[in-house]
Amino acid sequence: MARIDYSDPAAASERTREILGKNRNANIFRMMAHSPSYLEQYCRLGGAIRNKGELDPIIRELAITRTGILCEAPYEVAAHKRIGGYVGVSNEQNAALDDWQAATCFDDTQRAALAFTDEIVKLHRPTDATFKAIAAKLTPGALVELQLSVGFYIMTSKFLESFAIDMQPVTEVV
């Protein structure tokens, strides 16, 4: 159960209700709506991460889902496994993300991105060797987008867990 009540969309401004509606009134956004200006900017950056840029969406979703796993945020993991499926992440890959190092379903670029993700979350920054490995596979723009994606979803995972956001059926919110 959430640690504080979710905001009431009926009491929100027209702009906040519009943002909530576009996001299917998902619990995470209803909680963020306590701060309408932050909600709006969060959604702008989240939209850019998910819909703009050059980073391969499969790599993005693998990294986001792995971030959720490492941050122990089941809401995030469930949502992004589903989103990953929409952009081409296979069921086998989604199932293997808990122990990706032992899996054979990831290519070299995906493995380098997952190692980069692990080190950002666990060590707070990648080692030189891991950074060089992913930098050899991605353009500078895609590399920046990968790091910002991981960082954004660390923040999102921590928000979800700090407020104990209630899970919803994924089909309702994704």
Side-chain angles (χ1 to χ4, degrees):
M1 188 165 86
R3 290 180 158 174
I4 63 175
D5 291 338
Y6 295 100
S7 66
D8 179 4
S13 71
E14 183 177 330
R15 177 68 180 135
T16 299
R17 282 193 310 275
E18 177 186 336
I19 294 168
L20 289 171
K22 286 181 181 177
N23 289 285
R24 299 184 186 176
N25 288 300
N27 285 342
I28 184 174
F29 301 111
R30 288 183 50 226
M31 186 62 74
M32 277 187 199
H34 285 297
S35 177
S37 62
Y38 277 41
L39 169 66
E40 184 169 3
Q41 297 312 312
Y42 174 90
C43 288
R44 286 182 67 197
L45 181 54
I49 288 169
R50 288 205 27 230
N51 302 305
K52 299 182 183 205
E54 62 182 82
L55 181 63
D56 177 330
I58 293 173
I59 291 173
R60 180 194 70 227
E61 290 304 321
L62 291 171
I64 291 170
T65 304
R66 181 67 182 159
T67 298
I69 290 166
L70 294 172
C71 291
E72 300 177 7
Y75 186 114
E76 198 62 43
V77 173
H80 282 275
K81 280 188 175 186
R82 186 169 177 100
I83 293 167
Y86 293 151
V87 301
V89 174
S90 71
N91 290 336
E92 180 185 14
Q93 289 173 319
N94 268 331
L97 281 170
D98 283 322
D99 187 23
W100 66 266
Q101 298 91 336
T104 59
C105 55
F106 302 106
D107 68 26
D108 289 343
T109 302
Q110 293 164 346
R111 295 181 76 72
L114 288 166
F116 183 77
T117 300
D118 279 12
E119 290 185 7
I120 290 170
V121 177
K122 293 177 182 179
L123 306 177
H124 310 293
R125 68 176 180 203
T127 61
D128 288 341
T130 298
F131 188 89
K132 286 178 187 176
I134 191 62
K137 304 277 186 194
L138 300 179
T139 67
L143 182 58
V144 165
E145 292 167 11
L146 175 60
Q147 195 291 322
L148 290 174
S149 296
V150 172
F152 183 84
Y153 283 96
I154 292 170
M155 175 186 68
T156 300
S157 295
K158 298 299 182 182
F159 181 87
L160 287 161
E161 294 308 300
S162 293
F163 287 94
I165 305 297
D166 297 298
M167 293 284 290
Q168 294 166 269
V170 175
T171 54
E172 288 182 16
V173 296
V174 178

